[in-house]
Amino acid sequence: MNMLSPTLPTPPTGSDALAVRLAGIVGAGNVRRDDPARELFSQDVYTRGSESAALVVAPADTSQLAAIIVAAREAGFDCVPRGGGMSYTKGYLPQSPNSVSLDLGRMDKVLAVRADDMVVTVQAGCTWKTLYETLAPLGLRTPFWGPLSGLISTIGGGLSQGNAFFGAGHHGTGGESVVAYTMVLADGQILRTGARGADGDSPFYRFYGPDVAGLFNGDCGAFAIKAEITLRLMPLPKHEAYASFSFKTDTDMFAALTGMTRAGIASELCGFDPRLTRIRLKRASLSADLGALKNVVGKQGSLLKGMKEAAKIALAGRSFIDDGDFALHVVCEGRSAAGVADDLAEARRIAAACHGTEVENTIPKVMRAQPFMALNSMVGPNGERWVPIHCLVPLSRAHAIFQAIEAEFDAMRPELDAHGVENAFLFSGMSTNAILIEPTFYWPDAMLPVHHAYVEQGHMTKLPVNPPNAAAAAVVEQARQRLLALFARNGLGHFQIGRTYPYYDSRDAASRILLAQVKHTLDPDRRLNPGVLGL
């Protein structure tokens, strides 16, 4: 156990009998009561929960998951689902000592690839990396194919929280690739959505009457626990092209970002502010560079072409973007080389019209060659803690919202600087009609067990060890609250709502009634992840 971890309270007495019952369902080795497991599953990337799970239980399939939920409910315990653990919004933190943390990591299988129907069914604990690597040899892919944390982030967790990145520029969020869900309700009943074939278990089309599946996208596990998910397939694009551009001002970068988003030309479109570029280039290690170069070579289709691309990256080094510039990175993909070339030409035209300068395309090229990298970016280059916050904004207001966020940071700059708190930005295009703005914080503070669990140990040993820093953490929280208030005032949207973004209170009266009634109908005792979504 990490020596900085607090002493956990003893699990409630009723957990003894429940642990025995659960062991009969999943096997004794898949029910954990030890303090390290309880602590790890009672914190996220940002914070520890106010309560600790009494038990951590790992089902292997839908029937075991249903039996666990029934047993927990009958014993008076809540069930809190956890996928890969990458939430930073308290999305899976227990709210009561009478809580069972559902570790869905054993439900990690690709159950069926039905290429003739162009659908794939997975268990909710399957990672995006596992799915991608299963489909790629078949020449297939899901339209949205994972977040940057897809090495360990699960498909069920991503769809419950909402996520973005790979494929999002063309295809939107993961929820827009969903065909059907198989879910477990609070009473153990199985709920299946979509048109499902004669056997009732071969989902092939999402829209059959009201879009019931849509109700569970982004629900954070408040309404039901996802067990199996069917997603659309598409042919793996045969051609890719990459470009990076540098801009002297945020005004020009946002003009290019929104212009390219409207044009729908990029599968992935992301921007960095100067601070994030500096942090990323400072953090990358030589071993990571060598691994990336190897993958770039293999990605190019021929050894000669691959060596040329790797040589260009190596020669560019880490100085291909001027210090102080904003950067925009573009990935284009498609069925034909001509179509991809046309999209790339349009990106170049838009960038040039916005006073952009094309620079070496190292970042998007490596990003595609090595999409699901180790999660070493969970910590800063000097062992700092890291946490993002984010908002979804309309294209017409993206630059103004960014400037408003910067004004909040400027107002707090003396406090941020006094406590060694740095901030940076990541920007992403979402389909053709929204921008994701993600302010990130870095501050000197002690690591949590979640960092030791998911950051490569070899990387962690090279970093300075920071002591606990409650004062800096308090400044970060104060800044987050200021941004949350700004987001609410502007009516912005969010992914992974968890218990951080004020979703329920932001809805109109009729919507609140609907949400409350859905919760009451599906989970009348409020045993499924109570408190998320503001319910």
Side-chain angles (χ1 to χ4, degrees), residues 211-230:
D211 181 18
V212 177
L215 185 64
F216 300 94
N217 286 334
D219 77 332
C220 298
F223 297 147
I225 308 300
K226 294 173 181 64
E228 299 173 15
I229 300 143
T230 300

Side-chain angles (χ1 to χ4, degrees), residues 213-360:
L215 185 64
F216 300 94
N217 286 334
D219 77 332
C220 298
F223 297 147
I225 308 300
K226 294 173 181 64
E228 299 173 15
I229 300 143
T230 300
L231 299 160
R232 291 192 294 121
L233 293 176
M234 58 176 276
L236 199 63
K238 295 180 179 180
H239 300 274
E240 294 177 1
Y242 328 93
S244 293
F245 304 96
S246 179
F247 301 87
K248 296 299 181 184
T249 69
D250 55 287
T251 300
D252 287 338
M253 191 280 293
F254 267 93
L257 173 63
T258 54
M260 292 183 196
T261 300
R262 290 187 186 99
I265 54 178
S267 180
E268 289 95 53
L269 177 61
C270 66
F272 298 167
D273 81 321
R275 286 161 289 193
L276 186 58
T277 296
R278 287 196 296 269
I279 289 168
R280 287 184 68 89
L281 295 181
K282 182 179 179 181
R283 177 171 54 212
S285 65
L286 179 61
S287 61
D289 288 343
L290 294 174
L293 290 179
K294 178 182 176 182
N295 287 338
V296 168
V297 171
K299 185 84 172 176
Q300 302 308 310
S302 73
L303 180 61
L304 179 60
K305 184 179 179 183
M307 293 301 292
K308 287 181 178 179
E309 292 295 332
K312 287 167 60 179
I313 291 174
L315 289 172
R318 300 179 182 280
S319 58
F320 52 88
I321 295 177
D322 290 342
D323 191 54
D325 283 7
F326 286 76
L328 193 57
H329 306 288
V330 183
V331 177
C332 301
E333 65 177 23
R335 292 182 298 171
S336 72
V340 172
D342 188 62
D343 284 342
L344 190 62
E346 180 65 5
R348 287 172 170 148
R349 186 197 66 76
I350 292 171
C354 300
H355 311 105
T357 300
E358 187 163 4
V359 297
E360 179 55 46

Side-chain angles (χ1 to χ4, degrees), residues 55 66 113 134 143 192 214 223 245 430 459 469 507 516:
L55 301 166
V113 179
T134 299
R192 299 175 176 86
F223 297 147
F245 304 96
M430 296 299 302
H459 182 73
N469 191 340
R507 301 298 87 193

Side-chain angles (χ1 to χ4, degrees), residues 378-416:
M378 286 174 62
V379 295
N382 294 308
E384 303 98 331
R385 287 280 305 281
W386 161 89
V387 70
I389 196 169
H390 73 269
C391 56
L392 285 159
V393 305
L395 300 179
S396 62
R397 300 181 61 213
H399 187 221
I401 295 297
F402 167 72
Q403 291 181 315
I405 295 171
E406 280 280 67
E408 294 290 343
F409 281 127
D410 289 343
M412 289 193 66
R413 188 62 58 195
E415 291 176 271
L416 296 171

